[in-house]
Amino acid sequence: MKKIIALAAVATVATFSVPAAFAETSQSVREVTEEAAPVAKLNAGQMLYSNGARLAPIYRVNAEGNPQIILSGKLVTVPASTISSVGGKVTTSLTKKEVASAK
């Protein structure tokens, strides 16, 4: 009987300490992610890349901070939330097809 009580006590303590371990892990992951994908400074004339390939030069940056490019003769706004700096290049996480279908 004493073994069961001891086992129940250990299980109870483990149950309450596990969420704290997960909180520390997700905080660490968040910090690493923020460091790995720095926000790029956007200026007109900078080349915008997608999947390592040149997409188009940034035509302008609108008031919300979204870069706008001219792609296939059409002014396209790329969401700033998809922009990061990869190897010193302004890169979007969207594919060329996704950017072309954006408004």
Side-chain angles (χ1 to χ4, degrees):
M1 187 69 160
K2 290 181 183 180
K3 289 182 182 179
I4 293 175
I5 294 174
L7 185 59
V10 170
T12 303
V13 170
T15 302
F16 289 113
S17 64
V18 170
F22 283 125
E24 290 175 14
T25 302
S26 41
Q27 177 65 28
S28 299
V29 170
R30 187 176 306 121
E31 289 171 1
V32 170
T33 304
E34 289 173 359
E35 290 175 15
V39 176
K41 287 194 170 196
L42 302 174
N43 295 312
Q46 289 179 303
M47 186 59 65
L48 181 63
Y49 291 83
S50 173
N51 296 326
R54 289 170 29 152
L55 196 56
I58 296 174
Y59 176 68
R60 65 182 174 202
V61 180
N62 67 14
E64 292 81 30
N66 299 317
Q68 295 179 320
I69 62 172
I70 297 175
L71 190 62
S72 302
K74 178 180 155 188
L75 183 65
V76 179
T77 302
V78 181
S81 61
T82 67
I83 302 295
S84 63
S85 179
V86 177
K89 298 177 181 178
V90 179
T91 305
T92 179
S93 59
L94 302 175
T95 64
K96 184 176 181 178
K97 187 175 181 178
E98 291 171 330
V99 171
S101 65
K103 295 187 177 200

